[in-house]
PDB file of all heavy atoms in Angstrom:
ATOM      1  N   LEU A 131     -39.996  -4.469  -4.896  1.00 95.00           N
ATOM      2  CA  LEU A 131     -40.167  -5.872  -5.325  1.00 95.00           C
ATOM      3  C   LEU A 131     -40.358  -5.923  -6.787  1.00 95.00           C
ATOM      4  O   LEU A 131     -41.060  -5.037  -7.443  1.00 95.00           O
ATOM      5  CB  LEU A 131     -41.423  -6.475  -4.531  1.00 95.00           C
ATOM      6  CG  LEU A 131     -41.229  -6.639  -2.980  1.00 95.00           C
ATOM      7  CD1 LEU A 131     -42.527  -6.863  -2.268  1.00 95.00           C
ATOM      8  CD2 LEU A 131     -40.081  -7.632  -2.751  1.00 95.00           C
ATOM      9  N   PRO A 132     -39.904  -7.083  -7.395  1.00 94.00           N
ATOM     10  CA  PRO A 132     -39.894  -7.062  -8.833  1.00 94.00           C
ATOM     11  C   PRO A 132     -41.369  -7.154  -9.484  1.00 94.00           C
ATOM     12  O   PRO A 132     -41.541  -6.787 -10.631  1.00 94.00           O
ATOM     13  CB  PRO A 132     -39.150  -8.415  -9.140  1.00 94.00           C
ATOM     14  CG  PRO A 132     -39.165  -9.169  -7.900  1.00 94.00           C
ATOM     15  CD  PRO A 132     -39.186  -8.154  -6.756  1.00 94.00           C
ATOM     16  N   TRP A 133     -42.287  -7.643  -8.690  1.00 94.00           N
ATOM     17  CA  TRP A 133     -43.673  -7.669  -9.330  1.00 94.00           C
ATOM     18  C   TRP A 133     -44.473  -6.409  -9.082  1.00 94.00           C
ATOM     19  O   TRP A 133     -45.681  -6.427  -9.358  1.00 94.00           O
ATOM     20  CB  TRP A 133     -44.419  -8.935  -8.745  1.00 94.00           C
ATOM     21  CG  TRP A 133     -44.520  -8.930  -7.287  1.00 94.00           C
ATOM     22  CD1 TRP A 133     -45.486  -8.219  -6.503  1.00 94.00           C
ATOM     23  CD2 TRP A 133     -43.714  -9.593  -6.265  1.00 94.00           C
ATOM     24  NE1 TRP A 133     -45.247  -8.478  -5.129  1.00 94.00           N
ATOM     25  CE2 TRP A 133     -44.247  -9.343  -4.986  1.00 94.00           C
ATOM     26  CE3 TRP A 133     -42.534 -10.555  -6.451  1.00 94.00           C
ATOM     27  CZ2 TRP A 133     -43.640  -9.856  -3.773  1.00 94.00           C
ATOM     28  CZ3 TRP A 133     -42.060 -11.049  -5.287  1.00 94.00           C
ATOM     29  CH2 TRP A 133     -42.522 -10.739  -3.983  1.00 94.00           C
ATOM     30  N   GLY A 134     -43.892  -5.400  -8.588  1.00 95.00           N
ATOM     31  CA  GLY A 134     -44.551  -4.134  -8.387  1.00 95.00           C
ATOM     32  C   GLY A 134     -45.082  -3.599  -9.707  1.00 95.00           C
ATOM     33  O   GLY A 134     -44.597  -3.877 -10.732  1.00 95.00           O
ATOM     34  N   ILE A 135     -46.262  -2.955  -9.613  1.00 93.00           N
ATOM     35  CA  ILE A 135     -46.852  -2.301 -10.831  1.00 93.00           C
ATOM     36  C   ILE A 135     -45.981  -0.988 -11.135  1.00 93.00           C
ATOM     37  O   ILE A 135     -45.991  -0.094 -10.347  1.00 93.00           O
ATOM     38  CB  ILE A 135     -48.283  -1.868 -10.558  1.00 93.00           C
ATOM     39  CG1 ILE A 135     -49.090  -3.136 -10.237  1.00 93.00           C
ATOM     40  CG2 ILE A 135     -48.870  -1.159 -11.808  1.00 93.00           C
ATOM     41  CD1 ILE A 135     -50.517  -2.817  -9.818  1.00 93.00           C
ATOM     42  N   ARG A 136     -45.349  -1.044 -12.296  1.00 90.00           N
ATOM     43  CA  ARG A 136     -44.472   0.101 -12.591  1.00 90.00           C
ATOM     44  C   ARG A 136     -45.162   1.199 -13.268  1.00 90.00           C
ATOM     45  O   ARG A 136     -46.000   0.991 -14.217  1.00 90.00           O
ATOM     46  CB  ARG A 136     -43.291  -0.416 -13.416  1.00 90.00           C
ATOM     47  CG  ARG A 136     -42.107   0.446 -13.536  1.00 90.00           C
ATOM     48  CD  ARG A 136     -40.868  -0.227 -13.802  1.00 90.00           C
ATOM     49  NE  ARG A 136     -40.411  -1.120 -12.764  1.00 90.00           N
ATOM     50  CZ  ARG A 136     -39.692  -0.557 -11.642  1.00 90.00           C
ATOM     51  NH1 ARG A 136     -39.429   0.704 -11.604  1.00 90.00           N
ATOM     52  NH2 ARG A 136     -39.257  -1.295 -10.680  1.00 90.00           N
ATOM     53  N   ASP A 137     -44.948   2.394 -12.698  1.00 79.00           N
ATOM     54  CA  ASP A 137     -45.558   3.618 -13.417  1.00 79.00           C
ATOM     55  C   ASP A 137     -44.383   4.663 -13.390  1.00 79.00           C
ATOM     56  O   ASP A 137     -44.097   5.343 -12.439  1.00 79.00           O
ATOM     57  CB  ASP A 137     -46.667   4.135 -12.545  1.00 79.00           C
ATOM     58  CG  ASP A 137     -47.331   5.418 -13.213  1.00 79.00           C
ATOM     59  OD1 ASP A 137     -47.080   5.603 -14.475  1.00 79.00           O
ATOM     60  OD2 ASP A 137     -47.972   6.159 -12.568  1.00 79.00           O
ATOM     61  N   GLY A 138     -43.712   4.755 -14.534  1.00 77.00           N
ATOM     62  CA  GLY A 138     -42.536   5.534 -14.696  1.00 77.00           C
ATOM     63  C   GLY A 138     -41.356   4.980 -13.808  1.00 77.00           C
ATOM     64  O   GLY A 138     -41.107   3.789 -13.891  1.00 77.00           O
ATOM     65  N   ALA A 139     -40.803   5.740 -12.928  1.00 82.00           N
ATOM     66  CA  ALA A 139     -39.673   5.291 -12.202  1.00 82.00           C
ATOM     67  C   ALA A 139     -40.147   4.468 -10.932  1.00 82.00           C
ATOM     68  O   ALA A 139     -39.352   3.872 -10.245  1.00 82.00           O
ATOM     69  CB  ALA A 139     -38.783   6.486 -11.754  1.00 82.00           C
ATOM     70  N   ILE A 140     -41.396   4.716 -10.562  1.00 90.00           N
ATOM     71  CA  ILE A 140     -41.943   4.096  -9.312  1.00 90.00           C
ATOM     72  C   ILE A 140     -42.635   2.817  -9.623  1.00 90.00           C
ATOM     73  O   ILE A 140     -43.385   2.635 -10.559  1.00 90.00           O
ATOM     74  CB  ILE A 140     -42.876   5.169  -8.663  1.00 90.00           C
ATOM     75  CG1 ILE A 140     -42.169   6.486  -8.318  1.00 90.00           C
ATOM     76  CG2 ILE A 140     -43.533   4.551  -7.436  1.00 90.00           C
ATOM     77  CD1 ILE A 140     -43.026   7.561  -7.791  1.00 90.00           C
ATOM     78  N   ALA A 141     -42.419   1.804  -8.690  1.00 95.00           N
ATOM     79  CA  ALA A 141     -43.232   0.605  -8.732  1.00 95.00           C
ATOM     80  C   ALA A 141     -44.115   0.541  -7.417  1.00 95.00           C
ATOM     81  O   ALA A 141     -43.634   0.964  -6.370  1.00 95.00           O
ATOM     82  CB  ALA A 141     -42.349  -0.604  -8.828  1.00 95.00           C
ATOM     83  N   ARG A 142     -45.321  -0.010  -7.560  1.00 96.00           N
ATOM     84  CA  ARG A 142     -46.162  -0.048  -6.468  1.00 96.00           C
ATOM     85  C   ARG A 142     -46.668  -1.417  -6.144  1.00 96.00           C
ATOM     86  O   ARG A 142     -46.882  -2.175  -7.173  1.00 96.00           O
ATOM     87  CB  ARG A 142     -47.447   0.914  -6.648  1.00 96.00           C
ATOM     88  CG  ARG A 142     -47.046   2.332  -6.716  1.00 96.00           C
ATOM     89  CD  ARG A 142     -48.217   3.341  -6.857  1.00 96.00           C
ATOM     90  NE  ARG A 142     -47.878   4.712  -6.853  1.00 96.00           N
ATOM     91  CZ  ARG A 142     -47.549   5.380  -5.761  1.00 96.00           C
ATOM     92  NH1 ARG A 142     -47.664   4.857  -4.586  1.00 96.00           N
ATOM     93  NH2 ARG A 142     -47.240   6.649  -5.872  1.00 96.00           N
ATOM     94  N   HIS A 143     -47.040  -1.766  -4.955  1.00 97.00           N
ATOM     95  CA  HIS A 143     -47.574  -2.996  -4.576  1.00 97.00           C
ATOM     96  C   HIS A 143     -48.918  -3.207  -5.373  1.00 97.00           C
ATOM     97  O   HIS A 143     -49.866  -2.328  -5.260  1.00 97.00           O
ATOM     98  CB  HIS A 143     -47.943  -3.140  -3.099  1.00 97.00           C
ATOM     99  CG  HIS A 143     -46.703  -3.404  -2.278  1.00 97.00           C
ATOM    100  ND1 HIS A 143     -46.070  -4.519  -2.245  1.00 97.00           N
ATOM    101  CD2 HIS A 143     -46.000  -2.584  -1.376  1.00 97.00           C
ATOM    102  CE1 HIS A 143     -45.020  -4.498  -1.407  1.00 97.00           C
ATOM    103  NE2 HIS A 143     -44.967  -3.217  -0.884  1.00 97.00           N
ATOM    104  N   PRO A 144     -49.059  -4.414  -5.969  1.00 97.00           N
ATOM    105  CA  PRO A 144     -50.523  -4.624  -6.581  1.00 97.00           C
ATOM    106  C   PRO A 144     -51.388  -5.206  -5.406  1.00 97.00           C
ATOM    107  O   PRO A 144     -51.735  -6.319  -5.353  1.00 97.00           O
ATOM    108  CB  PRO A 144     -50.229  -5.721  -7.576  1.00 97.00           C
ATOM    109  CG  PRO A 144     -48.975  -6.346  -7.115  1.00 97.00           C
ATOM    110  CD  PRO A 144     -48.171  -5.476  -6.268  1.00 97.00           C
ATOM    111  N   VAL A 145     -51.724  -4.237  -4.451  1.00 97.00           N
ATOM    112  CA  VAL A 145     -52.303  -4.657  -3.230  1.00 97.00           C
ATOM    113  C   VAL A 145     -53.690  -5.310  -3.389  1.00 97.00           C
ATOM    114  O   VAL A 145     -54.068  -6.247  -2.691  1.00 97.00           O
ATOM    115  CB  VAL A 145     -52.337  -3.419  -2.300  1.00 97.00           C
ATOM    116  CG1 VAL A 145     -53.321  -2.258  -2.847  1.00 97.00           C
ATOM    117  CG2 VAL A 145     -52.927  -3.818  -0.911  1.00 97.00           C
ATOM    118  N   GLU A 146     -54.497  -4.893  -4.391  1.00 96.00           N
ATOM    119  CA  GLU A 146     -55.756  -5.501  -4.593  1.00 96.00           C
ATOM    120  C   GLU A 146     -55.563  -6.933  -5.032  1.00 96.00           C
ATOM    121  O   GLU A 146     -56.408  -7.772  -4.761  1.00 96.00           O
ATOM    122  CB  GLU A 146     -56.628  -4.664  -5.652  1.00 96.00           C
ATOM    123  CG  GLU A 146     -56.878  -3.251  -5.132  1.00 96.00           C
ATOM    124  CD  GLU A 146     -57.673  -3.186  -3.845  1.00 96.00           C
ATOM    125  OE1 GLU A 146     -58.336  -4.087  -3.548  1.00 96.00           O
ATOM    126  OE2 GLU A 146     -57.447  -2.230  -3.097  1.00 96.00           O
ATOM    127  N   LEU A 147     -54.498  -7.176  -5.866  1.00 97.00           N
ATOM    128  CA  LEU A 147     -54.290  -8.596  -6.232  1.00 97.00           C
ATOM    129  C   LEU A 147     -53.781  -9.381  -5.110  1.00 97.00           C
ATOM    130  O   LEU A 147     -54.196 -10.686  -5.044  1.00 97.00           O
ATOM    131  CB  LEU A 147     -53.188  -8.600  -7.377  1.00 97.00           C
ATOM    132  CG  LEU A 147     -53.680  -7.920  -8.642  1.00 97.00           C
ATOM    133  CD1 LEU A 147     -52.608  -8.084  -9.782  1.00 97.00           C
ATOM    134  CD2 LEU A 147     -54.938  -8.502  -9.194  1.00 97.00           C
ATOM    135  N   TYR A 148     -53.118  -8.886  -4.139  1.00 98.00           N
ATOM    136  CA  TYR A 148     -52.754  -9.595  -2.947  1.00 98.00           C
ATOM    137  C   TYR A 148     -54.100 -10.006  -2.185  1.00 98.00           C
ATOM    138  O   TYR A 148     -54.178 -11.183  -1.765  1.00 98.00           O
ATOM    139  CB  TYR A 148     -51.886  -8.715  -1.980  1.00 98.00           C
ATOM    140  CG  TYR A 148     -50.577  -8.253  -2.411  1.00 98.00           C
ATOM    141  CD1 TYR A 148     -49.936  -7.278  -1.766  1.00 98.00           C
ATOM    142  CD2 TYR A 148     -49.891  -8.911  -3.443  1.00 98.00           C
ATOM    143  CE1 TYR A 148     -48.620  -6.823  -2.175  1.00 98.00           C
ATOM    144  CE2 TYR A 148     -48.603  -8.501  -3.895  1.00 98.00           C
ATOM    145  CZ  TYR A 148     -48.004  -7.467  -3.200  1.00 98.00           C
ATOM    146  OH  TYR A 148     -46.792  -7.028  -3.576  1.00 98.00           O
ATOM    147  N   ALA A 149     -54.877  -9.106  -1.987  1.00 97.00           N
ATOM    148  CA  ALA A 149     -56.191  -9.437  -1.364  1.00 97.00           C
ATOM    149  C   ALA A 149     -56.904 -10.407  -2.123  1.00 97.00           C
ATOM    150  O   ALA A 149     -57.446 -11.326  -1.505  1.00 97.00           O
ATOM    151  CB  ALA A 149     -57.020  -8.154  -1.186  1.00 97.00           C
ATOM    152  N   ALA A 150     -56.958 -10.408  -3.426  1.00 98.00           N
ATOM    153  CA  ALA A 150     -57.650 -11.294  -4.279  1.00 98.00           C
ATOM    154  C   ALA A 150     -57.086 -12.760  -4.050  1.00 98.00           C
ATOM    155  O   ALA A 150     -57.813 -13.670  -3.898  1.00 98.00           O
ATOM    156  CB  ALA A 150     -57.663 -10.987  -5.696  1.00 98.00           C
ATOM    157  N   LEU A 151     -55.737 -12.825  -4.003  1.00 98.00           N
ATOM    158  CA  LEU A 151     -55.092 -14.151  -3.803  1.00 98.00           C
ATOM    159  C   LEU A 151     -55.383 -14.723  -2.447  1.00 98.00           C
ATOM    160  O   LEU A 151     -55.674 -15.951  -2.341  1.00 98.00           O
ATOM    161  CB  LEU A 151     -53.617 -13.937  -4.041  1.00 98.00           C
ATOM    162  CG  LEU A 151     -53.088 -13.781  -5.492  1.00 98.00           C
ATOM    163  CD1 LEU A 151     -51.638 -13.502  -5.495  1.00 98.00           C
ATOM    164  CD2 LEU A 151     -53.424 -14.993  -6.331  1.00 98.00           C
ATOM    165  N   LEU A 152     -55.307 -13.862  -1.464  1.00 98.00           N
ATOM    166  CA  LEU A 152     -55.706 -14.357  -0.082  1.00 98.00           C
ATOM    167  C   LEU A 152     -57.089 -14.866  -0.039  1.00 98.00           C
ATOM    168  O   LEU A 152     -57.399 -15.992   0.636  1.00 98.00           O
ATOM    169  CB  LEU A 152     -55.471 -13.227   0.879  1.00 98.00           C
ATOM    170  CG  LEU A 152     -54.044 -12.862   1.256  1.00 98.00           C
ATOM    171  CD1 LEU A 152     -53.960 -11.603   2.180  1.00 98.00           C
ATOM    172  CD2 LEU A 152     -53.315 -14.003   1.933  1.00 98.00           C
ATOM    173  N   LEU A 153     -58.019 -14.195  -0.578  1.00 98.00           N
ATOM    174  CA  LEU A 153     -59.439 -14.512  -0.540  1.00 98.00           C
ATOM    175  C   LEU A 153     -59.664 -15.823  -1.348  1.00 98.00           C
ATOM    176  O   LEU A 153     -60.372 -16.655  -0.891  1.00 98.00           O
ATOM    177  CB  LEU A 153     -60.298 -13.421  -1.117  1.00 98.00           C
ATOM    178  CG  LEU A 153     -60.352 -12.097  -0.215  1.00 98.00           C
ATOM    179  CD1 LEU A 153     -60.883 -10.928  -1.130  1.00 98.00           C
ATOM    180  CD2 LEU A 153     -61.314 -12.429   0.973  1.00 98.00           C
ATOM    181  N   LEU A 154     -59.001 -15.923  -2.508  1.00 98.00           N
ATOM    182  CA  LEU A 154     -59.194 -17.176  -3.241  1.00 98.00           C
ATOM    183  C   LEU A 154     -58.590 -18.361  -2.587  1.00 98.00           C
ATOM    184  O   LEU A 154     -59.144 -19.405  -2.603  1.00 98.00           O
ATOM    185  CB  LEU A 154     -58.519 -16.908  -4.699  1.00 98.00           C
ATOM    186  CG  LEU A 154     -58.846 -17.884  -5.710  1.00 98.00           C
ATOM    187  CD1 LEU A 154     -60.333 -17.869  -6.042  1.00 98.00           C
ATOM    188  CD2 LEU A 154     -58.140 -17.690  -7.018  1.00 98.00           C
ATOM    189  N   ALA A 155     -57.408 -18.148  -1.962  1.00 98.00           N
ATOM    190  CA  ALA A 155     -56.800 -19.245  -1.164  1.00 98.00           C
ATOM    191  C   ALA A 155     -57.808 -19.672  -0.040  1.00 98.00           C
ATOM    192  O   ALA A 155     -57.935 -20.912   0.194  1.00 98.00           O
ATOM    193  CB  ALA A 155     -55.469 -18.782  -0.604  1.00 98.00           C
ATOM    194  N   GLY A 156     -58.344 -18.658   0.569  1.00 97.00           N
ATOM    195  CA  GLY A 156     -59.362 -19.020   1.718  1.00 97.00           C
ATOM    196  C   GLY A 156     -60.551 -19.815   1.155  1.00 97.00           C
ATOM    197  O   GLY A 156     -61.017 -20.779   1.813  1.00 97.00           O
ATOM    198  N   ALA A 157     -61.034 -19.380  -0.048  1.00 97.00           N
ATOM    199  CA  ALA A 157     -62.143 -20.122  -0.661  1.00 97.00           C
ATOM    200  C   ALA A 157     -61.824 -21.504  -1.019  1.00 97.00           C
ATOM    201  O   ALA A 157     -62.560 -22.475  -0.670  1.00 97.00           O
ATOM    202  CB  ALA A 157     -62.634 -19.295  -1.867  1.00 97.00           C
ATOM    203  N   ILE A 158     -60.646 -21.762  -1.536  1.00 96.00           N
ATOM    204  CA  ILE A 158     -60.187 -23.050  -2.000  1.00 96.00           C
ATOM    205  C   ILE A 158     -60.074 -24.000  -0.676  1.00 96.00           C
ATOM    206  O   ILE A 158     -60.513 -25.137  -0.682  1.00 96.00           O
ATOM    207  CB  ILE A 158     -58.906 -22.987  -2.716  1.00 96.00           C
ATOM    208  CG1 ILE A 158     -59.101 -22.303  -4.052  1.00 96.00           C
ATOM    209  CG2 ILE A 158     -58.327 -24.419  -2.935  1.00 96.00           C
ATOM    210  CD1 ILE A 158     -57.856 -22.016  -4.797  1.00 96.00           C
TER     211      ILE A 158
END
Side-chain angles (χ1 to χ4, degrees):
Chain A
L131 293 170
W133 58 80
I135 301 171
R136 198 155 282 284
D137 180 20
I140 297 172
R142 294 183 178 277
H143 283 289
V145 61
E146 298 301 330
L147 297 181
Y148 296 163
L151 286 174
L152 286 173
L153 290 163
L154 196 60
I158 292 168

